[in-house]
């Protein structure tokens, strides 16, 4: 190939090449997390068609610690569409906590009885062992940003929680806020597992 032909081949900048290499390295880690730890964040790959964007290890740990503090010793935690937080809680070996993952993706059924199939279109469709107001805290990250999804997810949250809520979402419709009473509004910016800023700005409301 001549020098002229070489000049016609598109070249990535060093910054873009480094970012691409980092992306593929993290994707490989996601597919092969190593070890036998089934709770490793990223063990199950994101499915973007299901609007799945896992939290980074740092973000998952931050939220898990917040949830642990709010739940208290021997508390019950509901992770609604937040598998990364569920995995981090279990990775921390907090056996004193009862933790359940409410999730649409049945790949997470590897977690046995702690996996509860959840479809926000049927916000109160739970097995008989999930009682009304039976969780000390609910952490939720609605999979979609539509008002309908937020409204139906809020129905789920109100049914499950005894009062404490940690809701991460980019949107904050007045109707959703009013449906979740006794809230403290704060801003938190999560990071995604694949090294990009989170799919939501992390605005949330935590009940007293």
């Amino acid at each position: 190939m001549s020098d002229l032909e070489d000049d016609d081949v598109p070249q990535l900048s060093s910054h873009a090449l480094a970012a691409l290499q980092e992306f593929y390295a993290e994707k490989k880690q996601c597919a092969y997390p190593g070890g036998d730890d089934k709770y490793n964040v990223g063990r199950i790959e994101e499915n973007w068609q299901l609007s799945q964007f896992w939290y980074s290890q740092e973000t998952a740990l931050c939220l898990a610690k917040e949830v642990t503090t709010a739940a208290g010793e021997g508390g019950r935690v509901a992770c609604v569409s937040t598998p990364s937080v569920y995995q981090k809680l279990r990775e921390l070996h907090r056996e004193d906590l009862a933790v359940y993952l409410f999730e649409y993706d049945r790949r997470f059924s590897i977690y046995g009885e702690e996996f509860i199939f959840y479809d926000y279109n049927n916000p109160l469709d739970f097995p008989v062992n999930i009682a009304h107001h039976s969780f000390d805290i609910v952490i939720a990250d609605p999979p979609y940003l539509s008002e309908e999804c937020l409204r139906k997810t809020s129905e789920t949250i109100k049914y499950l929680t005894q009062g404490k809520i940690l809701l991460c979402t980019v949107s904050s419709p007045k109707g959703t806020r009013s449906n979740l009473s006794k809230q403290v509004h704060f801003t938190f910016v999560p990071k995604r597992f694949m090294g990009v800023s989170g799919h939501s700005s992390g605005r949330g409301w935590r009940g007293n």
Side-chain angles (χ1 to χ4, degrees), residues 66 70 135-138 161-166 180-186 205-208:
E66 182 74 14
F135 289 89
D136 294 285
I137 184 170
V138 175
T161 188
Q162 294 179 3
K164 295 179 181 178
I165 301 165
L166 202 163
L180 299 174
S181 60
K182 297 181 180 179
Q183 298 146 6
V184 176
H185 181 248
F186 64 97
W205 301 268
R206 186 177 61 192
N208 294 327

Side-chain angles (χ1 to χ4, degrees), residues 26 29 40-42 54-67 84-85 88-89 91-92 139 188-198:
E26 291 183 348
Q29 180 187 14
N40 199 330
V41 173
W54 305 154
Y55 294 137
S56 68
Q57 297 281 356
E58 178 185 10
T59 296
L61 179 60
C62 178
L63 293 173
K65 287 182 176 179
E66 182 74 14
V67 166
S84 303
V85 178
K88 184 59 64 175
L89 284 166
E91 191 178 63
L92 293 174
I139 177 169
F188 174 71
V189 182
K191 293 182 179 179
R192 277 186 46 203
F193 178 73
M194 298 303 286
V196 183
S197 294

Side-chain angles (χ1 to χ4, degrees), residues 44-47 49-55 78-87 100-120 125-127 139-144 156 160:
I44 296 176
E45 289 193 36
E46 296 170 335
N47 182 342
Q49 292 183 341
L50 294 178
S51 190
Q52 291 178 338
F53 303 91
W54 305 154
Y55 294 137
C79 297
V80 178
S81 303
T82 52
S84 303
V85 178
Y86 167 84
Q87 289 169 323
Y100 289 84
L101 173 62
F102 295 77
E103 172 59 44
Y104 182 82
D105 190 342
R106 294 188 185 273
R107 291 180 298 168
F108 289 95
S109 64
I110 63 171
Y111 299 130
E113 294 182 354
E114 291 186 343
F115 168 80
I116 306 296
F117 176 75
Y118 172 69
D119 182 349
Y120 79 87
D125 185 11
F126 302 124
I139 177 169
D141 190 341
Y144 301 102
T156 300
L160 295 174

Side-chain angles (χ1 to χ4, degrees), residues 12-13 32 43 47 103-104 113 119 126 134 140 153 159 168-169 190 203:
L12 290 175
S13 68
Y32 307 102
R43 182 181 179 90
N47 182 342
E103 172 59 44
Y104 182 82
E113 294 182 354
D119 182 349
F126 302 124
S134 58
T153 301
Y159 178 87
C168 299
T169 178
R203 291 179 184 172

